[in-house]
Amino acid sequence: MGMTDTFRRRLAATVTGALLLTACQTTPPTDPRPATPQPPGQAAPTAAVTATAPDLTPGQRLEALAGSIRAAPADTTTGPYTYVHTQSWARATTTIVRIDLRHWRCDSTGSGHDIERRLPPLHSVHHTPQPRERRLFAQADTVLTRYPPGELAPYIAEPIPTDPTALAAALAPPTPDTPPADPRTLINGVIGMARSQHINRDQRAAVLRVLAGIPGITYRGQVTDVAGRPGLGFRLTTDGNTLDLVVDTTTGAILAAQDTVQASSRPGLFSHVLFLTREHTDTAGAPTGAHEPSCPATSRRP
């Protein structure tokens, strides 16, 4: 099921593309060598230890995470709404637009709403998102945007595939201009899906395995995102852009993403997004007194 033009334009305006590592503590990657087999009878290391071992390629690190990640608290949430909370920095010509967006979608009807807080734009494309900016969102005015039934749809059809091949095909379907499994299209698809949908443990493992198969992806070491959350950094440089991801070592969730323009007359930040909350909920979260259409529950696979 595809997204409507209205919501797709809104999604593109807020968080087009991918990723960033900021204020990071970086552990330099080492020359890739085959992974050392685990000795018989020895307890398997944790996901973080496995993925940061010095003898792994970037793909092996992502595969190690995929096989070891744990459930997240959001995995047990229920309710007829999908709720996603993001904060983003996105280029608009020569300025950076900063948005805190809380998004509710009724899964059964395709209705919902956004509650947006927007900071004054910054007249610079070289801006690096800062932790102090996040505190300013609470002081900004809110704007409520409603979507009638049928206006909202998930980024890809649900249930999200847990088979990496099927997921890659859903994230990067072939077009006349883009071959299947194009690396940049795949990563942008991962970011778009994270922007729109809750992703459970098995689905997160499939995402990591899709990323593991992307040629040219590199490991950037242990990093911290703008929200202060630790993770592992991965990067893809292609077509004059650098796409960066921060991945949680416990749950395998994508924490942050940034797209930086390099080969351009105006190099600098293109977009940065923090993924703060993704869950299911019983309530729409609309402001007091605001009418929200009924949202009948719909069945979900565990």
Side-chain angles (χ1 to χ4, degrees), residues 38-221:
Q38 188 68 30
Q42 181 172 321
T46 65
V49 171
T50 301
T52 56
D55 54 357
L56 300 179
T57 67
Q60 289 171 334
R61 296 180 193 282
L62 287 160
E63 286 283 357
L65 279 176
S68 305
I69 59 175
R70 304 172 188 172
D75 292 341
T76 60
T77 57
T78 60
Y81 291 94
T82 293
Y83 170 61
V84 180
H85 179 201
T86 60
Q87 291 176 343
S88 64
W89 291 252
R91 179 186 294 197
T93 313
T94 58
T95 62
I96 299 297
V97 178
R98 301 172 291 174
I99 297 174
D100 178 289
L101 184 66
R102 299 171 188 263
H103 172 72
W104 288 263
R105 182 186 73 245
C106 177
D107 298 330
S108 60
T109 66
S111 62
H113 66 267
D114 293 340
I115 296 178
E116 177 183 292
R117 294 176 182 267
R118 185 177 294 226
L119 298 180
L122 298 173
H123 298 283
S124 171
V125 297
H126 298 289
H127 179 67
T128 298
Q130 300 294 325
R132 64 177 180 273
E133 293 176 85
R134 301 187 60 240
R135 296 189 291 270
L136 299 177
F137 282 120
Q139 305 170 21
D141 294 335
T142 61
V143 176
L144 173 65
T145 302
R146 299 189 181 280
Y147 299 95
E151 186 72 9
L152 296 180
Y155 189 86
I156 64 172
E158 294 188 342
I160 297 170
T162 57
D163 173 73
T165 301
L167 179 58
L171 291 172
T175 69
D177 299 323
T178 305
D182 172 72
R184 184 176 178 83
T185 303
L186 277 175
I187 291 186
N188 283 338
V190 167
I191 299 308
M193 181 174 63
R195 170 64 179 85
S196 168
Q197 298 171 260
H198 169 65
I199 308 167
N200 66 30
R201 180 174 60 178
D202 291 341
Q203 294 159 350
R204 294 193 300 272
V207 168
L208 295 175
R209 291 187 169 106
V210 168
L211 295 175
I214 293 179
I217 198 165
T218 60
Y219 175 57
R220 300 295 295 171

Side-chain angles (χ1 to χ4, degrees), residues 13-62:
T14 55
V15 292
T16 305
L19 307 88
L20 164 75
L21 312 167
T22 62
C24 299
Q25 295 178 340
T26 302
T27 301
T30 61
D31 292 337
R33 299 189 301 274
T36 303
Q38 188 68 30
Q42 181 172 321
T46 65
V49 171
T50 301
T52 56
D55 54 357
L56 300 179
T57 67
Q60 289 171 334
R61 296 180 193 282
L62 287 160

